[in-house]
Amino acid sequence: MERRRVLGTGLFAAVLWTGSTTSVLAGERGQHLAEEELPAARRLFAAGRYDRLHQMLPGMVARASESERTGPVGAGQAAGVWVLVSQLAVKEAEMGTAAAFAVRAGTAARRSGRPVLLAAAARAAATPLRRTGRADTALQLLREAHDELGTAPRPSAAVLDASGMVALTAAYTAAQARMPSVAEQFASLAEQTAARLLRDRGRVPTGGELSPAQCVLYRVGIHQKLGDVDRALAYAAGLEPAALTTPERRARAATDTARALLTAGDVATAFVQLQLVERAAPQEARRHSVRTLTAEVAARRPDLPGVTAFARRTTLRPAT
């Protein structure tokens, strides 16, 4: 009963958050997702253009709901949309909505029969789970997804990519739960998978997420969460932002580095990193978690040139 109540609340919030999706559904019965629609939405997310993505959501959610009813292929398309909406909800700190859409993603992914999509759904579910104190449940989901991907005798590039990213998510989840040996195990697995992907393919496949730079980026966050700030900053120093291929990832790198620097007491350099967040993806600098870091910098070093103007500017959130 309790689980149904929580999920019901999350789904109700999801309908409101997407901008009266129910009314859009009524006008779009029978319309399915176009082939390019989800890739275009993913590009907006990767570019940190969350305002534009919000504008697309109501119609896209409606069409995904229609596609989901058509069979495994449509369910797979819908799963991709639900994962993306869950990720965007995390950016907005809407954990109930993120959890609700992650549940929908898992259901649709199972209907599709594609382990890669189930892995993406598990990763989407892990974030709201760990942020609400259920890291053990998140780790179990991620382990199962990783094991399922490991059954293929000759995994494709897509399977290797998904496997490595699940391992990185599991490593970060374990770090947040203060499980250093588990975090190290999964981080090493991801690094081995990234190396195999490069060895087998000669390069990082187009459209993939896993890369050596991605592994280093996660290491910054993993060791910061484990309280090993020196190691986190050592990884940050070795990370070349240009090797991260999207503005969203470059902003994430600067955010995680700023967080580690603040923990180490280097407030001035942390502010430099926050400015890099805005330079990479301005809307990332206006997220709640990043604005919290900015507020800490401004409180600890109000004398830093430009910090007051930066704090004032980044509190102006984009229209959604």
Side-chain angles (χ1 to χ4, degrees):
M1 175 66 72
E2 177 65 17
R3 184 173 183 273
R4 284 197 297 269
R5 186 189 69 78
V6 171
L7 289 182
T9 301
L11 288 169
F12 177 71
V15 169
L16 294 179
W17 187 76
T18 53
S20 302
T21 298
T22 303
S23 63
V24 177
L25 269 169
E28 299 209 17
R29 291 291 183 192
Q31 294 189 29
H32 302 149
L33 285 169
E35 184 176 349
E36 179 58 22
E37 202 164 355
L38 180 56
R42 284 174 173 156
R43 286 194 293 271
L44 287 175
F45 183 88
R49 294 301 309 274
Y50 309 130
D51 53 349
R52 292 278 304 280
L53 187 51
H54 264 288
Q55 292 167 12
M56 291 177 62
L57 278 182
M60 192 172 173
V61 167
R63 290 185 290 278
S65 296
E66 288 293 298
S67 293
E68 189 172 9
R69 299 183 178 95
T70 63
V73 173
Q77 291 177 314
V81 173
W82 307 147
V83 166
L84 184 62
V85 176
S86 182
Q87 291 172 326
L88 184 58
V90 168
K91 295 288 187 183
E92 299 290 334
E94 295 282 355
M95 289 303 117
T97 300
F101 274 104
V103 169
R104 291 192 69 177
T107 300
R110 280 187 289 273
R111 285 190 61 203
S112 78
R114 296 177 59 190
V116 166
L117 292 176
L118 200 56
R123 289 180 60 209
T127 302
L129 283 170
R130 69 175 179 247
R131 290 195 186 181
T132 53
R134 292 174 288 175
D136 54 345
T137 303
L139 273 174
Q140 182 60 33
L141 280 174
L142 293 164
R143 285 182 192 275
E144 290 173 1
H146 192 268
D147 289 347
E148 180 70 20
L149 290 164
T151 60
R154 299 184 65 182
S156 65
V159 167
L160 288 173
D161 183 82
S163 179
M165 291 308 300
V166 166
L168 285 176
T169 306
Y172 189 81
T173 301
Q176 193 164 27
R178 294 303 178 100
M179 301 167 66
S181 62
V182 177
E184 182 61 40
Q185 175 191 7
F186 275 114
S188 296
L189 276 173
E191 289 159 354
Q192 293 164 20
T193 304
R196 178 181 177 182
L197 190 59
L198 284 176
R199 184 175 65 250
D200 291 353
R201 306 289 164 173
R203 60 180 176 81
V204 176
T206 302
E209 294 183 76
L210 184 65
S211 69
Q214 184 82 272
C215 292
V216 174
L217 167 56
Y218 267 82
R219 283 283 193 176
V220 177
I222 287 164
H223 294 295
Q224 195 274 330
K225 288 293 183 186
L226 289 172
D228 191 349
V229 179
D230 289 343
R231 196 171 178 194
L233 290 174
Y235 274 106
L239 179 59
E240 176 54 54
L244 297 166
T245 57
T246 72
E248 187 271 339
R249 289 287 85 186
R250 291 193 287 274
R252 173 65 183 268
T255 300
D256 285 357
T257 302
R259 189 174 284 115
L261 286 163
L262 279 174
T263 303
D266 190 346
V267 182
T269 311
F271 179 46
V272 171
Q273 290 295 318
L274 291 174
Q275 291 172 294
L276 291 177
V277 173
E278 187 183 38
R279 190 177 305 167
Q283 290 174 37
E284 278 284 321
R286 296 175 180 179
R287 290 178 55 219
H288 174 75
S289 60
V290 181
R291 286 186 288 124
T292 299
L293 296 176
T294 299
E296 183 177 348
V297 167
R300 291 169 66 176
R301 288 290 308 275
D303 58 310
L304 287 173
V307 70
T308 301
F310 182 85
R312 187 182 301 116
R313 182 170 65 253
T314 55
T315 59
L316 300 174
R317 303 183 66 187
T320 58

